[in-house]
Amino acid sequence: VALGLYFPRREYLENVYIDEPAGMPLLRIHALKDSREEVAHFHLCQNLIISRARSHENNWFQIREEEGLLYLSKSLDREDFNMLSVGSWMPLSKVMLYVFLSSHPFQEKECDSATRTTVFLSLINATAPACSSLTARQLCFTEMDLSFHIKENKPPGIFHQLQLPSVHHLCQNLSISYKLLAAEGVPFRYIENTTGVEVTQHLDREERERYELIAKCTVREGFREMQVEVPFLVNVLDEDDSPPFLPNGTDTADAVVEFNRKEGTVLSTLTVYDADTTPIYPLESSRKKYTGTIITDDPWISETFRVEHIFDEIHFSPNGSQVRGTRHEY
């Protein structure tokens, strides 16, 4: 079953300063495909969530439907800030936006798509700082962790852009370049001319569940050069695509029943491994997925013996990397 397009991040963070000009690019949001034919369309709901109890019509932010570029459609002045900060004297106010995703163009006011991500905007009661006053870390990366989730068995695609649209727009006198440091053969590629990061092939969670890379940024201003490195993490999300298996292929266990055994005596055990799933809570959910049944027509056997099912999380090590799975014991 095709589940459709999805976001590789659950949330995005960005700062917005007072009096930044209309048209100012703020944030680039990406989507990954479930099938190659899909085309991503992004849509912003016309409400800002200021606090849990309050929302306000969004007059300041727009998104380019086919690019996922969030930008200022109207400059945010002090009067706007005071209104959106609910009259507090704090130097910062947080607002929340929902970005929705669809494989077809959005109809007007269509805001009930299940596929959405959250954008948290920190509205700062000050004008944007001069580029020369920013650290290399601020020029290169936002405050959010570079941490992504990509579904296994899905088509390749670009899922992040390293260059910050706002810094690129404001700090044109600086040269900012990036590299993605990764082990040989890792299925990710940095595209220099767009600063995009692409997953280059289908991933398989049963082969590898987590990739730990490093994003390196170099800032040059005249003869001055600064470098900064941050972790770049990709978690592979599971799809239930691998059958359980038996160690050594043994699907039968012999049981010898002697007289005068006490209740609770274990007569025989059978072990089943599942590399595809890990125990989920509540535990009953995992227990229901696999059941152990005694097949018999004899009511005495049904009354006298029972199958108990215990399970725990274990780690497999295909290709030297740790992958979580479950061991079921009956």
Side-chain angles (χ1 to χ4, degrees):
V1 179
L3 296 171
L5 297 155
Y6 68 97
F7 291 105
R9 288 188 67 94
R10 289 184 179 89
E11 58 186 47
Y12 292 82
L13 314 173
E14 193 48 80
N15 295 333
V16 181
Y17 294 90
I18 281 178
D19 295 336
E20 287 183 308
M24 172 82 176
L26 298 173
L27 181 64
R28 183 76 189 268
I29 294 173
H30 288 83
L32 285 170
K33 299 179 181 185
D34 193 81
S35 61
R36 286 180 186 274
E37 311 76 60
E38 287 176 316
V39 178
H41 296 267
F42 300 89
H43 179 65
L44 203 58
C45 266
Q46 289 308 307
N47 266 344
L48 291 174
I49 317 295
I50 301 168
S51 63
R52 286 185 183 173
R54 261 186 99 235
S55 67
H56 193 287
E57 191 177 348
N58 169 26
N59 300 316
W60 300 272
F61 306 102
Q62 275 303 330
I63 197 164
R64 290 194 189 146
E65 184 173 319
E66 292 178 13
E67 292 174 42
L69 184 69
L70 185 73
Y71 64 94
L72 269 175
S73 55
K74 174 182 179 293
S75 184
L76 184 84
D77 59 26
R78 278 185 203 280
E79 203 175 306
D80 297 329
F81 177 87
N82 291 339
M83 181 171 58
L84 293 173
S85 60
V86 203
S88 81
W89 295 99
M90 298 290 284
L92 179 146
S93 175
K94 278 214 163 150
V95 300
M96 195 166 86
L97 284 166
Y98 291 126
V99 175
F100 291 85
L101 188 56
S102 174
S103 54
H104 59 81
F106 275 88
Q107 306 304 312
E108 196 60 35
K109 295 190 176 173
E110 187 181 345
C111 284
D112 55 358
S113 158
T115 311
R116 73 178 191 189
T117 191
T118 308
V119 178
F120 293 96
L121 298 172
S122 295
L123 310 183
I124 297 169
N125 192 8
T127 53
C131 296
S132 56
S133 71
L134 297 173
T135 64
R137 178 75 174 78
Q138 291 168 315
L139 289 165
C140 293
F141 303 107
T142 61
E143 291 162 28
M144 59 187 175
D145 295 337
L146 293 183
S147 179
F148 307 89
H149 49 262
I150 296 178
K151 294 180 181 179
E152 67 171 341
N153 307 321
K154 301 303 178 198
I158 294 168
F159 63 95
H160 183 64
Q161 184 181 339
L162 284 168
Q163 181 186 73
L164 304 182
S166 53
V167 170
H168 181 63
H169 186 78
L170 292 172
C171 307
Q172 293 178 356
N173 295 338
L174 297 177
S175 161
I176 301 174
S177 59
Y178 294 90
K179 273 186 180 171
L180 197 61
L181 309 180
E184 193 77 21
V186 164
F188 303 100
R189 183 171 75 97
Y190 172 64
I191 305 162
E192 197 167 342
N193 61 341
T194 64
T195 77
V197 181
E198 178 183 36
V199 55
T200 57
Q201 64 188 56
H202 287 195
L203 302 181
D204 183 353
R205 195 205 68 94
E206 286 71 67
E207 289 294 320
R208 186 155 177 184
E209 192 171 8
R210 184 177 167 88
Y211 293 87
E212 298 181 13
L213 300 85
I214 289 171
K216 179 180 179 180
C217 176
T218 304
V219 180
R220 293 184 186 86
E221 187 181 14
F223 296 110
R224 202 161 69 105
E225 184 176 292
M226 300 178 285
Q227 291 187 336
V228 61
E229 294 181 0
V230 299
F232 189 103
L233 307 174
V234 178
N235 293 294
V236 185
L237 295 186
D238 194 54
E239 192 175 57
D240 207 349
D241 63 337
S242 301
F245 62 94
L246 298 141
N248 311 322
T250 307
D251 64 355
T252 307
D254 290 330
V256 177
V257 185
E258 297 175 351
F259 284 100
N260 299 327
R261 296 292 91 184
K262 287 184 179 171
E263 186 178 339
T265 301
V266 176
L267 302 170
S268 184
T269 58
L270 190 64
T271 303
V272 181
Y273 288 113
D274 191 344
D276 203 41
T277 58
T278 56
I280 54 173
Y281 296 89
L283 289 177
E284 275 314 303
S285 307
S286 282
R287 195 167 271 117
K288 281 176 190 164
K289 190 168 179 183
Y290 300 108
T291 55
T293 309
I294 298 173
I295 300 171
T296 179
D297 295 330
D298 187 333
W300 179 80
I301 289 178
S302 301
E303 288 164 14
T304 311
F305 302 98
R306 71 172 184 268
V307 178
E308 283 207 352
H309 177 196
I310 58 171
F311 52 89
D312 57 353
E313 183 173 295
I314 57 166
H315 290 91
F316 300 96
S317 297
N319 308 325
S321 72
Q322 280 207 336
V323 173
R324 292 172 305 142
T326 309
R327 175 174 52 210
H328 298 266
E329 288 195 292
Y330 296 93

